[in-house]
Amino acid sequence: MTDFDIKEINALKLKLRIIEKGTLVGWVLLILSIYYDWDDPYPGLLIVAIIALYIVKGRFRKRLKQKEYLAKIVEERTIELRIQRDQVLTESKKLSEALDALAKAQDELVRKEKLATVGQLTQGLVDRILNPINYINNFAGLSTKLIKDLKENITEEQTVMSKENYADSIEILDMINNNLQKINEHGCNTVRIVKAMEELLKDRHGDITTTDITNLCKVNADVIRKTFAEDIEKNRIQIEIESPEESAMAEINIEQMNKVMLSLLKNSIYALLKKLQKQEFEPVINIHVEKRLNGTIFLTIRDNGIGIEDNIKNKIFEPFFTTKPTAEAAGMGLYLCREVILNHQGAILVKSEKDNFTEFMITIPIYQKNNNE
């Protein structure tokens, strides 16, 4: 019912009350006029006035009933429209959720198709590249040993050679040895890249186990402390773990999540060491675990190292993209981290400021839907 209808109905009710009081006053006066035998024309006028009030009262009652009837119809129709609106909003919400689910399913399908395509190409390349590269590396190593033997032989014959020939021979052998070392170095880098490509072919599904994420973080932090013990002790790198008092249990593939943790922690150590080369500061890696009410585990790994430049933030999860030298990385670490998290129906985001910090934020569901269906 609108405010206008309510005001009009209330106004009619007020008028009816006034008329009823006026009618009552008219009857009282009429009775008094008869009792006290008032002279004409008072009794007649009072009778006319009372009759007029009854007529007006009847009209107002009729109007009031009409207004109340119309207001009731309008209110009922308004309620129906509200119910229909709520139904439309509910259906719209369901449709929106269905569209979101469809979009996610399509994105997942596209991602898997791309991964399958890359896997097919990689499978063909791995065998064709890895074996020749292994031969190159092996023969480079053997040739280096042969050059060492040849150099010793020439040194033994130094007395029968002119100084110029001896110096030229040694210089040539050193140059060949350096070239072979570069061949071996680049060969090893190529093997690393091919091995990283081979990692794409591995199945990262299955073997789901309910695990305490906090304990997982502690185990990987201990592994990092042992692996980089010298650098951590020398530079006083602090590794902090913040976790809830209760267990943060989630269904995960332990092996794959260990790879994610180690990869991100190694990146943090690298970022801290790079920054320490330029300036002195207190290097810290913070691991935060949080169990949220929406049925997810929220995990962050933050370091106050060199950070990430804004113009490459959207590229860091691409395969074979890296800011490290080729000899140190193949550019597959963050890409595989993202794949593992997506396979766990989760999400991974990065927040960073150049020369200040980098923070990777991971969200994974406590229960894997496919596992429970």
Side-chain angles (χ1 to χ4, degrees):
M1 190 183 299
T2 62
D3 292 338
F4 177 76
D5 292 334
I6 293 173
K7 289 179 180 178
E8 194 169 354
I9 289 172
N10 289 335
L12 286 172
K13 288 180 178 180
L14 177 62
K15 290 178 181 178
L16 281 172
R17 285 196 295 270
I18 294 172
I19 291 172
E20 287 174 352
K21 290 179 180 179
T23 304
L24 180 61
V25 171
W27 280 110
V28 171
L29 291 175
L30 180 61
I31 292 170
L32 289 174
S33 67
I34 295 172
Y35 182 79
Y36 289 105
D37 194 20
W38 290 354
D39 295 333
D40 290 331
Y42 293 108
L45 291 174
L46 288 171
I47 292 171
V48 172
I50 291 171
I51 292 171
L53 287 172
Y54 273 112
I55 293 171
V56 174
K57 182 180 178 181
R59 291 179 178 177
F60 279 164
R61 281 187 180 278
K62 185 178 180 181
R63 286 179 60 188
L64 178 61
K65 288 181 179 179
Q66 290 175 344
K67 290 292 182 182
E68 288 178 338
Y69 176 74
L70 291 174
K72 183 179 180 181
I73 293 176
V74 171
E75 186 175 6
E76 290 175 352
R77 184 55 181 162
T78 301
I79 293 173
E80 290 178 2
L81 291 174
R82 287 174 180 171
I83 293 173
Q84 292 176 358
R85 182 199 63 186
D86 293 341
Q87 290 175 344
V88 169
L89 290 175
T90 302
E91 294 299 324
S92 177
K93 184 178 180 180
K94 290 180 180 178
L95 179 60
S96 177
E97 291 174 351
L99 290 173
D100 290 340
L102 178 61
K104 290 179 180 179
Q106 288 176 336
D107 291 341
E108 181 69 9
L109 181 61
V110 170
R111 184 179 69 86
K112 289 181 177 179
E113 287 179 349
K114 287 182 178 179
L115 192 60
T117 302
V118 172
Q120 291 174 354
L121 294 173
T122 303
Q123 183 65 62
L125 289 172
V126 167
D127 295 335
R128 288 171 173 78
I129 294 177
L130 198 56
N131 289 335
I133 291 297
N134 286 333
Y135 277 111
I136 291 172
N137 291 340
N138 291 336
F139 282 117
L142 291 173
S143 299
T144 300
K145 292 180 181 178
L146 293 174
I147 288 174
K148 182 180 178 181
D149 294 339
L150 182 58
K151 192 173 182 180
E152 291 175 354
N153 293 338
I154 292 175
T155 302
E156 291 176 358
E157 299 295 329
Q158 181 179 359
T159 55
V160 297
M161 297 175 65
S162 64
K163 291 183 179 180
E164 291 79 4
N165 286 339
Y166 175 77
D168 289 342
S169 298
I170 295 298
E171 184 179 359
I172 291 171
L173 290 175
D174 288 339
M175 291 174 63
I176 295 174
N177 186 58
N178 289 334
N179 291 339
L180 288 172
Q181 288 179 355
K182 289 180 181 178
I183 290 172
N184 184 262
E185 178 183 339
H186 289 291
C188 290
N189 293 339
T190 305
V191 170
R192 185 184 298 106
I193 293 172
V194 174
K195 289 290 186 182
M197 293 172 66
E198 195 174 22
E199 187 72 21
L200 290 172
L201 303 178
K202 293 183 178 179
D203 184 12
R204 283 176 287 277
H205 296 83
D207 296 329
I208 298 298
T209 306
T210 302
T211 308
D212 188 349
I213 302 299
T214 300
N215 287 339
L216 188 82
C217 294
K218 291 178 180 178
V219 168
N220 284 280
D222 289 340
V223 172
I224 289 296
R225 289 189 182 100
K226 292 177 182 177
T227 306
F228 298 91
E230 184 178 346
D231 290 322
I232 290 174
E233 184 178 359
K234 177 183 177 182
N235 298 287
R236 297 180 181 178
I237 297 175
Q238 298 296 317
I239 301 179
E240 304 171 345
I241 299 179
E242 299 174 355
S243 60
E245 294 182 359
E246 68 277 7
S247 299
M249 307 299 291
E251 295 178 346
I252 61 169
N253 182 310
I254 298 175
E255 179 184 358
Q256 296 299 326
M257 287 301 294
N258 277 334
K259 290 182 179 180
V260 171
M261 288 290 299
L262 288 175
S263 179
L264 295 177
L265 290 173
K266 286 178 181 177
N267 284 347
S268 292
I269 293 290
Y270 177 86
L272 294 174
L273 294 178
K274 282 293 182 182
K275 187 174 179 179
L276 285 166
Q277 293 176 0
K278 298 187 295 183
Q279 65 184 80
E280 293 185 1
F281 69 105
E282 295 183 2
V284 177
I285 298 175
N286 179 270
I287 303 171
H288 176 80
V289 181
E290 181 180 338
K291 187 176 181 180
R292 294 189 167 177
L293 297 176
N294 61 353
T296 61
I297 299 294
F298 183 64
L299 168 66
T300 64
I301 298 177
R302 180 187 177 102
D303 66 74
N304 57 343
I306 56 175
I308 303 172
E309 296 179 1
D310 291 336
N311 60 342
I312 64 171
K313 282 182 186 177
N314 60 342
K315 298 179 181 180
I316 62 173
F317 293 111
E318 295 178 2
F320 302 110
F321 177 83
T322 181
T323 57
K324 299 176 184 177
T326 307
E328 297 182 21
M332 291 297 293
L334 290 177
Y335 172 74
L336 292 175
C337 286
R338 180 174 175 270
E339 289 299 310
V340 170
I341 298 302
L342 289 176
N343 287 335
H344 280 77
Q345 304 171 28
I348 179 170
L349 300 173
V350 63
K351 183 166 63 174
S352 181
E353 289 181 9
K354 179 66 176 173
D355 297 326
N356 285 328
F357 74 92
T358 297
E359 182 176 27
F360 284 94
M361 297 165 286
I362 299 172
T363 304
I364 55 173
I366 293 176
Y367 302 105
Q368 295 295 305
K369 294 179 181 179
N370 293 338
N371 190 49
N372 294 332
E373 291 177 352

